[in-house]
Amino acid sequence: MEPYPIEVVAACDTGRKTRAVALKYRMGESWVCRSKPRWRENGEIAARKAGSTPPPKWRPHADKIAETVPEHPDATPVELRQILGFD
């Protein structure tokens, strides 16, 4: 049975060294190290949500692209940029 993260950070709170806790519970030392301050400051140990990526730059032009591509099916990307006026 794998240890719950709360058991791991609780073991750190007892004064054990990060490496000793990581070895005992067979977890990454870096995870234990990063989790301790988050636990002390926020009481949170769950994985954080990944950051979002910015939307593609072509998104505002999607309608214009959707109209132009069927009209010029053999156009290369360079030609499409010229036709759409992006150059």
Side-chain angles (χ1 to χ4, degrees):
M1 179 175 154
E2 291 188 28
Y4 291 104
I6 190 77
E7 294 172 1
V8 176
V9 291
C12 292
D13 285 344
T14 63
R16 289 185 175 165
K17 299 283 183 187
T18 302
R19 174 167 279 185
V21 172
L23 289 172
K24 177 180 178 182
Y25 291 103
R26 291 197 267 172
M27 300 186 91
E29 189 174 346
S30 62
W31 184 91
V32 175
C33 188
R34 285 190 318 266
S35 298
K36 290 192 306 186
R38 287 179 45 205
W39 170 251
R40 290 182 187 135
E41 294 168 9
N42 307 333
E44 115 187 6
I45 53 174
R48 290 189 176 164
K49 186 177 178 182
S52 62
T53 58
K57 292 182 181 180
W58 59 265
R59 181 80 61 187
H61 309 286
D63 293 335
K64 190 174 179 183
I65 294 169
E67 292 172 8
T68 306
V69 170
E71 294 171 2
H72 305 279
D74 294 332
T76 65
V78 172
E79 292 170 339
L80 283 172
R81 288 181 57 86
Q82 291 171 349
I83 293 167
L84 292 166
F86 295 148
D87 282 339

